[in-house]
Amino acid sequence: MENSVLIGFTKNENKKGANLSLPISFYGFYNIYDGAKFARRVIIIVINFKLNGGYDNTKMRYNTNIDTRKIEAQFFASLDRYGIKPRDNLSLVMDGKIHRFPVEGDRGSEKTGAYKIFSDGVPVWFIKDFRQHNEMIKCKFDLSELDKKERDEIFSTMNDPVEQQRKRAEKAEKEKLQKESEIMSIKAAWQEYIGGSCSNSHPYISLKHLGDFADNNMQFRIKSKKCAGDFGNIGDLMIPLYKAESISPYDCSRGRKWQFQSIQFIRNTLNEAGKYQKGFYGNVSTKGACFPLIPYNTNKYIKEFFICEGVATGISIYRASDYEKTVICAMSCSNIENVAKAIRENSRTLNDVKIFIAADNDDAGLKAAIEAKEKGFADKVRSPREKGTDFNDDLIMRGVI
């Protein structure tokens, strides 16, 4: 009877000499328990494991059907070809990670040799002697040493839906972890400024006539020092962004359940186009990200949402409502539909919740707003009278919205 376990796992024994023998048929990092203690953690690459103790490493599931002895033979032949001579017997680990080993001429604990082996599909490995080579040398398994049946097995495995699904799952998990790590770094940068100075001194605040709001709002910050992750420039206006999907009509608590996503920055000097450059910290998707303006509300839930593009536009609408309406800034016209969709999804059980889009009066803004309404994500679309303006322009020019 055989079950899946992971390659790179060495055969361990406890003090009593009992072999580890636990079936594993799924992926991830696991502790193997032998009835006496936890053994070392193992890594993701599958081989066949026999429950009677020990493992059969002549074939590997879900990475290649090639006899590992043939991979080893070609690997050691490549070492000879490039003049890399291991000092001791070398036991290969095919996990795609770099492994160091001593070569002839090394003294004591020196390990001048290095290799890494990728066994997925057609095996590939990289080798190097740091005294001889500047870069790792790439070598590929020679399929001509296999018969037709063995080659067919390899390519059938590479096209196996189960294997493809595994690879997609691994890739998705890796991307998810990278994204979460990046968000945590950006959030750490923001946390350094909690309780810091407000942002009414930033020239963009003055340009958009938002000083009174910035004076009394604790959500804006000026970047005054190097911070975690070293994001942005000194003097940036920092605006925290949250996931629209975490904002609910029942969320009258002003951010208690909001999920942090990113930070928008606005530079404090004009660029060549005569504008204050805007952007986002880190390499994180801002799809569905937004800046919410939610008043203190004693009702059971929020009945009206106004969705707009930029923060200045959103604050203008918020002020015009005497700070009584809920405004969600989507940060761009291309993100309006994503934000409106998330708010609509969170309001499905409430028939009297209305979503209004306060669009910029330009081709891109109106198109995005109308498309969101046609898809059922909004109830009405409103825009300023003059072409090429937004509601912040209206507030500055006419004093009203």
Side-chain angles (χ1 to χ4, degrees):
M1 179 179 179
E2 295 183 352
N3 281 286
S4 298
V5 184
L6 308 171
I7 199 168
F9 168 72
T10 58
K11 182 177 176 182
N12 287 305
E13 295 183 355
N14 62 16
K15 293 180 180 179
K16 298 179 181 180
N19 288 337
L20 302 181
S21 54
L22 178 69
I24 295 179
S25 57
F26 46 97
Y27 302 98
F29 290 86
Y30 309 99
N31 286 312
I32 309 301
Y33 191 67
D34 65 357
K37 65 174 184 177
F38 281 98
R40 58 177 289 190
R41 289 167 71 81
V42 292
I43 57 178
I44 304 177
I45 296 177
V46 181
I47 63 173
N48 293 325
F49 187 90
K50 293 185 176 181
L51 292 182
N52 59 6
Y55 58 85
D56 175 8
N57 68 348
T58 58
K59 288 192 176 182
M60 292 174 283
R61 287 182 57 194
Y62 300 134
N63 53 343
T64 179
N65 288 321
I66 302 174
D67 188 322
T68 55
R69 289 171 295 190
K70 294 182 178 181
I71 300 175
E72 291 172 352
Q74 290 199 19
F75 174 87
F76 286 111
S78 66
L79 292 185
D80 290 338
R81 187 163 59 251
Y82 291 101
I84 302 174
K85 300 179 179 181
R87 187 182 67 189
D88 308 314
N89 291 332
L90 185 57
S91 180
L92 301 182
V93 181
M94 304 181 188
D95 61 359
K97 296 182 180 180
I98 294 178
H99 296 273
R100 300 291 294 268
F101 60 92
V103 301
E104 292 182 1
D106 283 347
R107 297 180 180 180
S109 59
E110 283 185 331
K111 294 182 178 181
T112 306
Y115 76 89
K116 60 179 177 180
I117 302 176
F118 297 91
S119 57
D120 289 49
V122 178
V124 175
W125 54 89
F126 296 80
I127 54 177
K128 179 178 182 179
D129 182 333
F130 283 83
R131 290 195 183 97
Q132 302 183 52
H133 312 114
N134 294 324
E135 298 180 354
M136 297 196 84
I137 302 167
K138 181 179 178 180
C139 305
K140 188 175 182 179
F141 187 85
D142 184 2
L143 294 177
S144 65
E145 293 191 8
L146 305 179
D147 58 33
K148 184 178 183 302
K149 182 179 179 181
E150 289 175 312
R151 289 196 296 270
D152 289 344
E153 285 180 353
I154 293 171
F155 292 112
S156 66
T157 300
M158 292 172 64
N159 297 323
D160 181 11
V162 175
E163 167 66 359
Q164 292 175 355
Q165 183 178 2
R166 180 188 70 81
K167 288 184 177 180
R168 287 194 296 268
E170 281 186 6
K171 182 180 179 181
E173 181 65 19
K174 182 179 179 180
E175 291 175 349
K176 179 183 176 182
L177 292 174
Q178 290 175 338
K179 178 180 178 181
E180 289 176 351
S181 176
E182 185 79 4
I183 291 175
M184 287 177 65
S185 297
I186 298 171
K187 187 175 182 179
W190 174 252
Q191 292 289 344
E192 290 197 25
Y193 290 88
I194 296 296
S197 61
C198 291
S199 52
N200 57 345
S201 61
H202 196 280
Y204 183 81
I205 296 296
S206 301
L207 176 69
K208 297 295 183 178
H209 294 235
L210 305 176
D212 57 338
F213 175 83
D215 280 337
N216 299 291
N217 189 275
M218 299 303 293
Q219 296 188 72
F220 289 179
R221 290 288 177 271
I222 292 287
K223 180 176 171 61
S224 57
K225 61 180 181 179
K226 291 292 183 180
C227 57
D230 199 25
F231 294 105
N233 297 342
I234 301 298
D236 283 354
L237 177 64
M238 301 168 64
I239 303 167
L241 305 181
Y242 303 90
K243 295 180 180 180
E245 63 189 32
S246 69
I247 298 173
S248 163
Y250 293 103
D251 186 10
C252 302
S253 58
R254 300 189 73 179
R256 194 170 298 171
K257 297 180 180 179
W258 299 347
Q259 296 176 18
F260 186 91
Q261 184 163 345
S262 187
I263 295 175
Q264 183 189 50
F265 69 80
I266 301 177
R267 300 286 189 235
N268 65 346
T269 55
L270 297 173
N271 59 20
E272 294 180 356
K275 295 184 178 181
Y276 294 101
Q277 180 188 348
K278 299 178 183 179
F280 304 95
Y281 287 170
N283 187 29
V284 176
S285 170
T286 54
K287 181 179 179 180
C290 64
F291 177 69
L293 295 160
I294 298 181
Y296 289 111
N297 199 322
T298 57
N299 297 327
K300 291 183 178 179
Y301 57 86
I302 301 167
K303 294 187 176 182
E304 292 182 339
F305 288 89
F306 291 81
I307 299 176
C308 64
E309 291 186 33
V311 169
T313 301
I315 294 173
S316 299
I317 298 170
Y318 191 50
R319 289 168 60 188
S321 74
D322 200 20
Y323 306 103
E324 292 182 356
K325 299 295 185 182
T326 295
V327 183
I328 310 294
C329 308
M331 315 314 292
S332 68
C333 64
S334 61
N335 201 35
I336 280 181
E337 181 177 315
N338 299 319
V339 173
K341 180 181 179 181
I343 300 297
R344 177 65 84 198
E345 289 294 330
N346 289 338
S347 310
R348 287 296 182 193
T349 59
L350 303 171
N351 295 326
D352 56 345
V353 171
K354 302 296 182 184
I355 298 176
F356 304 93
I357 296 180
D360 292 0
N361 192 346
D362 55 43
D363 294 340
L366 289 172
K367 179 182 178 183
I370 292 170
E371 286 180 353
K373 179 179 179 296
E374 290 176 345
K375 292 179 181 180
F377 303 141
D379 297 285
K380 292 183 179 180
V381 174
R382 294 286 184 267
S383 64
R385 298 174 185 175
E386 293 189 29
K387 189 73 173 176
T389 63
D390 58 32
F391 283 112
N392 176 256
D393 298 323
D394 251 18
L395 183 66
I396 294 172
M397 291 186 296
R398 302 193 298 119
V400 295
I401 292 179

